[in-house]
Structure formats: C-alpha cells, structure tokens
C-alpha cells in the first residue's frame, strides 16, 4: 500500500502512476459487473410484449434467480414493480400502513423520506425515531406492537443495522425494510422480514427504474384483510377482489417493464451465481476491508460511521479533515478529470465527505489503487 502524502499542503504532489482500472465508485447506479458488455445481453425478448411467452419466461427467470441468490424461502413472494426502490417502498407503505400504529426510523436521508411520507402524505402520526448521520438509534427500544419502517443499510450515511436479532419473532407489527444497498451484500434472516424492497442498480450494478418488492406471509395477510383509507393509484394496487394479485409475483408486472433492464439484471444475476454461494458478500467484504486499510493509514481520513459493527460494507461514507462542501467538490472534480474516480462526493444532505461504493461489482484492486489518488486530490485541493 502506498504511504499517504506527507508533502506540505501548499505543494501539489505528483500524480500516482497507477489508476483504478474501473474508476466507478458511484453509490447508485453502481459499477457494472466485471467483464460486463452490452453484447452479452440476451436480446430475444426485446421488441416483444412483456406478456408474450418469452416475456413472461424471462421475467420469471429473473425472479427465480433473485430468489436463489437471496436464499429467499418459499414463504416469501418476490415481484418486479415500477419506480425503483422508492416506488417499491411507497407501494408497501400506501397499501399496508394504517392498520395499527407506526414507528418510522431515520438515520439518513432515505429514512427521512419515509418519515415525510408517513407524516405529510399518509398523515398517520407515526412515532419517529432519529439518529444523527453516522449513528444508529437504540434498536432495542423499538415498539414492535407497531409497524416499523427502517433502512437496512443507510446508503447516504454509511450506517447499517448489524443483523436482524433486534426484530422479535413474536412481533405484532410488520417489519418494513428498505434494503436497497443491503441485499446481496449481507445475510438477511428472512423470517424476521415482512416487507423488503430494493433496486437492481446497487449491489448488482443493474439499471434503474425498476424496483423489487418482497412480501412475507404476514404482509400478504395484511394486504388481504385491510383496506387503506386513502386512494391507491393503479401502480400501487396489489389486491384484486380481496385477494393478492399473485400474477405480480410471477412476472406479470403492473405496468410495462423495460425488458432491456430485465435482461441486464439477468446478466448480473448470472454473474453473481457464477461466483458461488457467498461470492457477492465475500467481494463486498474484501472491498470494505481494503478501504478500511486506506483510512487507517491516513490521519486526514475517517469513517462517518464510527462503530465497525454498524458500518456499511457497501456505501462507505468517509470524513475528510477540515473539509467543507467546496473542498469535497474540488476533490471529486479533480479525480473525475483524471479518470481516477467517478462520483465519490458524499450525498448532498449528508455531512461534507466522500462516499466510496464497495459493493460486489467493484474490484478490490481498484479500491487499493484509489488510495494514492485520494492523497493526491486532497493535497491538490488544499493547495489550491
């Protein structure tokens, strides 16, 4: 590992000799899988109806691959829905909340978004539990007589829940998890999850616009026994004549999907399968460990999430000594101009810092090569 820059801030250092081969560190859409090429996509379904035999077959195959890679039990249904992770999560909120009290948890911007939906849009007066960026609230204090909304992995704060141990098997309410930058990167105890959502654009490196909705049996029971007080737009309707619309979970999507995006997701899932069981998790772990080593070697870098037990292994958020928004913007611009790293500035609502995607589609060698470039960008920006 190259040592950190020790030159005075007023002296711009020489540029490192080696760049990351794939400088794609965006936290969404994320890097495509290694070796990805558009020519590898199966295009037989393109130009065909998604309700044709080939369209339904490919959609079902995508669902089957997701089930296999997530080790999702038969008790849980999985469907492709509109609107990326946001659409999937709001679909769950609009169709199931209101039957009992709600606890909305927020420790980053997307969790705050679900709080806003619950308070201002659905007007259900939830109990709101917050923590500052980099922190996690007391999970043991959650009231599980209520429905509970939370993010598994805070994409904009770099904070995650450590596991599902804090969710009781005997809960009365439903667990709703926005798991978009968590699925495929962590083992999830699906018995503890009633509703989960994600998009292909995170750990799989897939394309946007489509969300995935996972429903456990208790969520299905809620859908079939409860009718919300508010109107439901067509794209949110999961029930017909009091019964779950099972077709949604067999490839019969509510609206027209992009079969190109579906084929791209299939290609990513087939790559993931080729890694073997635990392959995606192992790659994310290795990337996070390589970035940890970079941080440990540099006094000017730190983790926004201080506790390693709740620190994200995918969307890793870093603090930069003395940084403000202008310095971070300058560093990100320098790195992009050199083709050394793309899209590494922290999220706009988060404290000023860097955010490095360490999900499975990133190669560990590129994380290692990034370290000296961070030194160069920091020293150059400070000198300017």
């Amino acid at each position: 590992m190259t040592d950190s820059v020790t030159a005075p801030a007023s002296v711009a250092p020489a540029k490192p000799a080696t760049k990351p081969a794939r400088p794609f560190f965006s936290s969404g859409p994320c890097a495509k899988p290694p070796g990805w090429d558009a020519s590898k996509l199966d295009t037989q379904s393109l130009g065909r109806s998604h309700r044709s035999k080939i369209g339904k077959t490919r959609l079902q195959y995508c669902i089957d691959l997701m089930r296999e890679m997530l080790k999702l039990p038969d008790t849980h249904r999985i469907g492709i829905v509109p609107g990326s992770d946001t659409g999937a999560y709001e679909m769950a909120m609009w169709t199931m909340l209101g039957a009992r009290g709600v606890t909305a948890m927020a420790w980053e911007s997307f969790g705050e978004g679900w709080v806003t939906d619950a308070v201002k849009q659905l007007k259900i007066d939830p109990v709101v539990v917050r923590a500052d960026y980099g922190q996690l609230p007391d999970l043991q204090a959650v009231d599980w007589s209520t429905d509970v909304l939370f993010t598994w992995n805070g994409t904009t704060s770099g904070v995650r829940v450590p596991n599902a141990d804090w969710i009781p098997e005997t809960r009365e309410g439903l667990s709703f998890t926005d798991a978009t930058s968590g699925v495929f990167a962590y083992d999830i105890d699906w018995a503890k999850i009633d509703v989960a959502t994600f998009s292909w654009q995170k750990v799989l490196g897939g394309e946007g616009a489509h969300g995935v909705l996972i429903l456990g049996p208790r969520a299905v029971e809620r859908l079939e026994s409860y009718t919300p007080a508010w109107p439901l737009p067509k794209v949110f309707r999961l029930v017909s004549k009091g019964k779950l619309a099972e077709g949604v979970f067999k490839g019969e999507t509510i609206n027209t999907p992009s079969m190109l995006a579906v084929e791209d997701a299939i290609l990513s899932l087939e790559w993931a399968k080729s890694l073997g069981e635990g392959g995606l998790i192992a790659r994310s772990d290795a990337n996070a460990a390589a970035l940890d080593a970079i941080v440990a070697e540099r006094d000017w870098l730190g983790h926004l999430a201080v506790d390693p037990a709740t620190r994200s292994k995918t969307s890793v958020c870093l603090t930069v000594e003395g940084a403000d928004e202008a310095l971070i913007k300058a560093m990100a611009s320098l790195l992009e101009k050199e083709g050394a790293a793309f899209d590494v500035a922290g999220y706009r609502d988060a404290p000023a810092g860097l955010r490095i995607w360490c999900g499975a589609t990133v190669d560990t060698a590129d994380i290692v090569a990034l370290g000296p470039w961070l030194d160069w960008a920091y020293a150059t920006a400070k000198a300017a």
Side-chain angles (χ1 to χ4, degrees), residues 65 86 182 200 271 294 333 357:
L65 281 172
T86 299
W200 297 324
W271 166 76
I294 290 171
S333 179
W357 182 254

Side-chain angles (χ1 to χ4, degrees), residues 36-57:
W36 183 92
D37 190 277
S39 65
K40 295 180 180 180
L41 295 175
D42 188 325
T43 58
Q44 295 180 77
S45 66
L46 304 190
R48 297 293 305 275
S49 168
H50 61 295
R51 302 193 189 283
S52 66
K53 182 177 180 180
I54 188 172
K56 288 182 178 180
T57 297

